[in-house]
Amino acid sequence: MKFKSAIKPYRAAAGGWGSLEATTRFVIDSKHAIKNLRNLMRMNKAKGFDCPGCAWGDDNKSTFSFCENGAKAVTWEATRRFIDNEFFAKHSVSNLYQQSDYFLEYQGRLTEPLRYNPQTDHYEAISWDDALALIGQHIKALDNPDQMELYTSGRASNEASYLYQLFGRMMGTNNFPDCSNMCHEASGSGLKRSIGVGKGTIHLDDFDKANAIFVFGQNPGTNHPRMLHSLRHAAENGAQIVTFNTLRERGLERFADPQKPLEVVTPLAGKISSYYYQPNLGGDMAAIRGMAKALLETHRQKLENGDTGIFDETFIAEHTHGVEAWFAEIDNTSWEHITHQSGLSEQQLRDAATIWQQAERVICTWAMGITQHKHSLNTVREIVNLQLLGGHLGKPGAGLCPVRGHSNVQGNRTMGIDEKPSAALLDSLATHFDFEPPRAQGHNTVEAIAAMLRDEVKVLITLGGNLAAAAPDSPLTEEALQRCGLTVHISTKLNRSHVVPGKESLILPTLGRTEEDMQASGRQFITVEDSFSMVHASEGIGKPIAATQRSETAIVCGIANTVLGQEKLDWLALSGDYNLIRDHIAATLPGFKDFNQQCEKPGGFYLGNAAAELRFNTPTGKAEFSAVPLPKSLFGDLKAPFALQTLRSHDQYNTTIYGLDDRYRGVYGQREVLFINPEDLAALELHEGDLVDIETIWNDGITRKVSGFKIVPYNIPRGNLAAYYPETNPLVPLSSVGDGTGTPTSKSVPVKICRTAPVERLRIA
């Protein structure tokens, strides 16, 4: 497809007519317009299917329970375009590697199992039986189980994820790298350390009851647009919404509800943020520390005057531990350090603190702008510290809300996709299935890539996802994949990972969330878990595009049956009746009692949250304050003129590129752009539209550089840059990860930029 390139400011609110127009365009382009209109009417509804996009909760009240980007996800999946052996006979893998990520996925759905032939450099059709036999041959030849990596995407269902981890542990490995390692690990790890539960503590309807909502490091207008409805309703109910986000994002400013006709055809729109602060990249922890410092001063002044303090001292005394150590750390933190690192003034932070102080019920919500820095775990814990001061846990309209990305990334972890499994999980599996699971910690995603580079990985299986495009240090990640003895990709569409094959490679075509899943016992449904610990049943309604596609659950069962046989478990029976899988889940995981019966509840059922009930599974039995100093600097001893964050465009979800527009940021028909403050642009003697190279400043002697990025002036603090991934993933060092998380620091990359050298053209005499 050809695209018209343009840079032009977007003046309208998020949502509204622009959202409806884009949705309509994608529905028509799917070549299945009527089918997809029917799909959209059943999305996020009882007896329908759960959105394959983000993990935001469902209110079950709206006539149309989908957003623009959810519609893109559905129509992208439920397309009439498909590719088969004939397509691959025409296109070598080397040729496909030269194509864009958009081109690869735009070709359509995968329809038959494929095996890479290194002699011809083409994928060729292979039968399911032969594909499974090849996988079994490679796995049985392993010297030890840890030579296998089992990667998981956040779109995999609870049922498929549960069986996947069970297969791996019956094999003897805890190598479960997953997409959460690269995005949200700081949320889970930080919350576990602070409150004993690695999940958010609120319900969706708490947004309607909050007096103040603090939004840190996220762009819901693109990444989880249904959140805008919740924020809009909260604002209409009188809540103050305070945003901390480095870029100025339209979705956090104004929102026109596409479901309200008057807002579609008129300039009417609702205001989202009452206050909008733009901290430096990585400066959120300092900003929160500044708020806490201002609050502590006020609290002490009131006590000195004989008044009641502003903190919930009863809650702190009964339910928390370590507050005095944190207060001492606050006292040791200077305002100069806070304002320099945050990029915000002392007065701005005092104003934000006043809003927090005056609110009876506060929600703090955050996403990847918080979780992809070196000190992300401590930043999450600093957010918890703030909430503990006011007792903002365990009461309506207050709590902690990490916003997950992919639709079941939280459910995957609940099901046991975790390289650091709890003893309780392993004990439960051991008792129920009568085997001894491995106890040693497995590999996270970065560790798995490093093991591949050391030639320690003989088999890589990916349950969804696109590791080559999602992971950092793209050339190294691609080399890692190519070093594997066998790579197996369970996928709906062609992607970047498929065109960097291992020594042997298979692509196994799977059903999507929107499609009917017929097995031996009849039509099946699967389940997913949203960001609010609600578990939903999801049942596809569309006819699969090819009879040769199989469900993820059936594929996992087929692999397990081939490798392990039926001594411990009748895998093929499980693939024929998902109710049997849910019975095993109910018997081994807390919160899933009567799982099959609970799935009948419209809107799903709540798993519960001990911390929300003020039960803290920590060493002290109380919520733990975290007392750590602010980082001395974002990059340690490295000196870098700029910090770069990688981010999504509006026509993108994770590594899936739906189109080449980023409407809310005014970018059309292109992706290789660099957002920069106009004053930085002038200081560099560059101009809008100039092409630049971006180069990482790092300490390992490897040159990391991308070239030809178009300069776009943008409302972003000086010294901060932004550009899209996966185009800028080559700049993120594999060795640059968060402390205690292993998450790539994709939101704080130290870089320099210079003008791209002109290409010399040959002169013809």
Side-chain angles (χ1 to χ4, degrees):
M1 292 183 65
K2 292 184 178 180
F3 296 89
K4 292 182 179 179
S5 297
I7 304 293
K8 52 185 179 182
Y10 188 77
R11 306 296 185 189
W17 176 254
S19 182
L20 283 180
E21 186 275 332
T23 298
T24 303
R25 176 162 41 87
F26 275 87
V27 168
I28 293 172
D29 187 59
S30 72
K31 310 300 181 185
H32 262 322
I34 301 301
K35 171 184 174 181
N36 276 321
L37 286 172
R38 184 178 62 143
N39 279 340
L40 293 176
M41 295 302 294
R42 292 286 297 278
M43 187 160 71
N44 299 323
K45 296 291 184 68
K47 300 300 180 182
F49 61 90
D50 217 67
C51 179
C54 79
W56 192 250
D58 305 330
D59 63 11
N60 298 295
K61 300 172 185 175
S62 305
T63 303
F64 306 105
S65 296
F66 61 88
C67 65
E68 174 189 341
N69 279 8
K72 290 174 184 175
V74 166
T75 57
W76 195 248
E77 175 180 289
T79 176
R80 194 167 63 188
R81 289 184 290 272
F82 67 92
I83 52 179
D84 54 17
N85 190 46
E86 184 178 341
F87 170 86
F88 288 102
K90 293 179 181 177
H91 298 278
S92 70
V93 170
S94 298
N95 173 263
L96 291 171
Y97 180 81
Q98 302 302 319
Q99 308 304 317
S100 69
D101 295 88
Y102 173 79
F103 172 89
L104 295 177
E105 291 213 25
Y106 188 78
Q107 302 314 303
R109 293 292 298 277
L110 294 160
T111 56
E112 54 190 334
L114 299 160
R115 180 182 185 179
Y116 178 63
N117 185 335
Q119 279 70 46
T120 64
D121 192 32
H122 286 260
Y123 276 104
E124 299 168 355
I126 184 175
S127 71
W128 275 104
D129 286 345
D130 288 345
L132 293 174
L134 180 63
I135 296 170
Q137 174 188 329
H138 276 266
I139 293 177
K140 290 175 182 178
L142 297 177
D143 297 324
N144 67 77
D146 287 329
Q147 292 178 328
M148 178 171 64
E149 303 284 350
L150 298 171
Y151 179 79
T152 317
S153 158
R155 283 180 63 169
S157 69
N158 286 333
E159 290 73 14
S161 298
Y162 182 81
L163 294 181
Y164 198 53
Q165 64 84 27
L166 183 60
F167 161 67
R169 292 191 166 111
M170 283 187 170
M171 278 294 302
T173 186
N174 282 317
N175 285 349
F176 291 104
D178 74 325
C179 61
S180 187
N181 294 149
M182 294 189 287
C183 302
H184 304 283
E185 199 67 44
S187 294
S189 297
L191 289 172
K192 278 184 181 178
R193 296 187 191 193
S194 290
I195 61 174
V197 178
K199 302 181 182 183
T201 64
I202 70 170
H203 298 274
L204 181 58
D205 61 6
D206 282 319
F207 278 82
D208 294 332
K209 304 166 186 172
N211 304 122
I213 300 170
F214 284 77
V215 180
F216 295 100
Q218 57 182 299
N219 175 24
T222 288
N223 298 331
H224 26 268
R226 283 182 293 149
M227 184 181 182
L228 294 181
H229 292 271
S230 299
L231 293 175
R232 168 81 179 272
H233 294 158
E236 290 172 344
N237 290 337
Q240 299 269 36
I241 296 174
V242 183
T243 293
F244 288 81
N245 196 67
T246 305
L247 277 76
R248 200 81 182 183
E249 300 285 17
R250 182 52 47 85
L252 287 165
E253 295 175 315
R254 292 180 290 131
F255 174 61
D257 192 339
Q259 298 190 41
K260 296 181 178 180
L262 195 60
E263 294 189 13
V264 172
V265 298
T266 71
L268 288 177
K271 184 179 179 181
I272 298 294
S273 298
S274 310
Y275 301 88
Y276 200 125
Y277 302 113
Q278 293 178 258
N280 289 327
L281 290 169
D284 297 272
M285 182 179 177
I288 300 161
R289 180 67 55 88
M291 289 176 59
K293 192 173 184 70
L295 291 167
L296 184 57
E297 290 174 8
T298 302
H299 179 73
R300 286 170 172 168
Q301 288 168 2
K302 284 186 171 290
L303 292 178
E304 288 172 3
N305 293 333
D307 297 330
T308 302
I310 64 172
F311 300 151
D312 189 335
E313 296 193 69
T314 300
F315 179 91
I316 292 171
E318 293 182 0
H319 299 294
T320 74
H321 172 260
V323 68
E324 291 301 330
W326 185 48
F327 285 169
E329 192 59 54
I330 292 173
D331 290 336
N332 290 333
T333 310
S334 69
W335 274 111
E336 181 183 9
H337 191 175
I338 288 169
T339 56
H340 174 76
Q341 193 165 103
S342 70
L344 302 174
S345 70
E346 180 178 335
Q347 188 59 53
Q348 286 176 310
L349 297 176
R350 289 187 180 278
D351 291 344
T354 299
I355 297 165
W356 185 94
Q357 177 187 335
Q358 293 173 347
E360 181 183 351
R361 297 177 298 278
V362 177
I363 290 173
C364 284
T365 177
W366 67 92
M368 286 163 58
I370 294 297
T371 61
Q372 290 186 317
H373 302 278
K374 184 172 175 57
H375 60 292
S376 287
L377 187 149
N378 288 333
T379 303
V380 169
R381 298 198 68 187
E382 195 82 1
I383 293 172
V384 178
N385 288 350
L386 183 67
Q387 290 293 77
L388 294 179
L389 287 181
H392 293 304
L393 287 181
K395 62 183 180 182
L400 300 159
C401 180
V403 180
R404 309 292 184 174
H406 239 326
S407 56
N408 199 40
V409 68
Q410 184 160 303
N412 292 173
R413 191 54 56 91
T414 300
M415 290 296 111
I417 299 295
D418 192 342
E419 77 281 1
K420 303 183 295 292
S422 68
L425 169 67
L426 298 180
D427 291 344
S428 181
L429 295 176
T431 300
H432 183 72
F433 292 106
D434 189 26
F435 81 106
E436 182 51 42
R439 302 282 169 166
Q441 180 175 316
H443 291 152
N444 64 26
T445 300
V446 168
E447 290 166 343
I449 294 169
M452 295 177 208
L453 289 168
R454 295 191 301 267
D455 294 322
E456 295 173 2
V457 177
K458 302 295 180 64
V459 175
L460 166 69
I461 304 177
T462 68
L463 182 60
N466 180 4
L467 188 57
D473 235 337
S474 303
L476 279 179
T477 294
E478 292 180 3
E479 179 186 344
L481 290 171
Q482 291 170 321
R483 285 176 174 267
C484 293
L486 172 69
T487 56
V488 180
H489 302 284
I490 302 170
S491 306
T492 57
K493 286 188 167 187
L494 188 65
N495 66 44
R496 178 64 49 192
S497 297
H498 303 148
V499 296
V500 283
K503 296 170 185 175
E504 288 203 79
S505 287
L506 292 170
I507 303 174
L508 304 181
T510 187
L511 298 177
R513 186 79 59 81
T514 62
E515 289 156 341
E516 185 180 64
D517 184 355
M518 293 295 295
Q519 300 296 336
S521 65
R523 186 169 173 170
Q524 307 295 312
F525 67 87
I526 53 93
T527 59
V528 298
E529 180 186 348
D530 65 26
S531 286
F532 302 96
S533 299
M534 294 292 296
V535 177
H536 309 262
S538 177
E539 188 173 344
I541 60 175
K543 295 295 182 183
I545 199 168
T548 43
Q549 295 168 318
R550 293 188 180 181
S551 73
E552 289 180 329
T553 305
I555 295 171
V556 171
C557 286
I559 294 172
N561 182 70
T562 300
V563 177
L564 297 174
Q566 300 186 22
E567 180 182 353
K568 293 290 186 184
L569 203 56
D570 189 342
W571 298 96
L572 299 184
L574 296 177
S575 71
D577 186 351
Y578 298 177
N579 284 336
L580 301 178
I581 306 170
R582 287 185 283 272
D583 286 340
H584 286 300
I585 294 172
T588 52
L589 298 183
F592 287 91
K593 184 180 179 181
D594 300 323
F595 192 3
N596 281 304
Q597 291 72 30
Q598 296 233 64
C599 289
E600 296 296 323
K601 293 181 179 179
F605 66 93
Y606 179 54
L607 283 178
N609 185 295
E613 299 169 4
L614 304 185
R615 292 182 289 108
F616 302 105
N617 185 25
T618 63
T620 62
K622 294 185 175 184
E624 296 282 349
F625 280 93
S626 170
V628 297
L630 294 181
K632 292 182 179 179
S633 66
L634 195 59
F635 305 127
D637 295 332
L638 292 175
K639 303 297 181 183
F642 293 101
L644 169 76
Q645 70 165 315
T646 71
L647 40 67
R648 298 171 180 161
S649 76
H650 193 60
D651 275 358
Q652 175 179 358
Y653 198 81
N654 291 347
T655 60
T656 300
I657 313 298
Y658 302 127
L660 303 187
D661 293 349
D662 191 3
R663 187 171 75 247
Y664 296 153
R665 298 189 184 111
V667 177
Y668 298 87
Q670 56 198 307
R671 289 183 55 80
E672 293 183 341
V673 299
L674 180 67
F675 299 104
I676 187 172
N677 182 286
E679 293 181 39
D680 283 332
L681 188 63
L684 291 167
E685 298 183 346
L686 294 168
H687 302 89
E688 179 176 356
D690 284 351
L691 301 183
V692 296
D693 297 347
I694 315 170
E695 184 172 353
T696 304
I697 297 174
W698 202 240
N699 52 14
D700 58 3
I702 298 174
T703 298
R704 296 175 176 88
K705 183 167 70 171
V706 295
S707 300
F709 277 65
K710 183 184 293 185
I711 287 287
V712 176
Y714 201 78
N715 190 342
I716 183 174
R718 291 202 67 178
N720 297 264
L721 305 171
Y724 304 130
Y725 72 83
E727 288 83 356
T728 50
N729 281 3
L731 299 173
V732 185
L734 195 65
S735 58
S736 180
V737 297
D739 294 333
T741 68
T743 299
T745 58
S746 300
K747 293 290 187 289
S748 53
V749 186
V751 299
K752 60 183 179 180
I753 61 176
C754 65
R755 193 187 304 272
T756 297
V759 178
E760 292 188 13
R761 299 184 181 277
L762 293 175
R763 294 184 179 181
I764 301 175

